[in-house]
Amino acid sequence: MHRPVTNPDFERLSKWINRYDGFFTSKHAQWSGYSLQNQVYYVKSGQWERYGSGIFRYKLFPHSAAERPDL
């Protein structure tokens, strides 16, 4: 079971980001201490990209060849 976190913990979130090639879910963010308000902020600031309902991608994570249409 996941232990609740009260403050955003990027190190904890980065474990999900690295595991899923830059992608993570709203639940992963919540488990890492990011409130729904935090999530909205990071999307609006451009640090996270929204890929669907509750699915995000960390913008600075390198894209794979399969994700890049120019390759």
Side-chain angles (χ1 to χ4, degrees):
M1 178 134 199
H2 298 280
R3 177 175 49 90
V5 177
T6 56
N7 293 316
D9 183 347
F10 182 74
E11 185 175 331
R12 191 171 188 169
L13 181 61
S14 69
K15 291 176 184 178
W16 297 106
I17 291 170
N18 289 322
R19 176 181 272 175
Y20 297 111
D21 297 326
F23 290 90
F24 59 98
T25 68
S26 180
K27 281 290 186 199
H28 294 143
Q30 287 177 329
W31 291 333
S32 301
Y34 292 84
S35 68
L36 295 176
Q37 293 86 354
N38 289 141
Q39 295 176 37
V40 169
Y41 168 79
Y42 284 102
V43 170
K44 284 186 177 183
S45 72
Q47 295 176 54
W48 297 0
E49 300 169 319
R50 185 180 305 276
Y51 271 74
S53 180
I55 300 174
F56 304 101
R57 187 178 189 290
Y58 184 59
K59 188 172 183 174
L60 296 178
F61 195 88
H63 285 274
S64 69
E67 288 181 281
R68 296 186 59 193
D70 59 331
L71 293 179

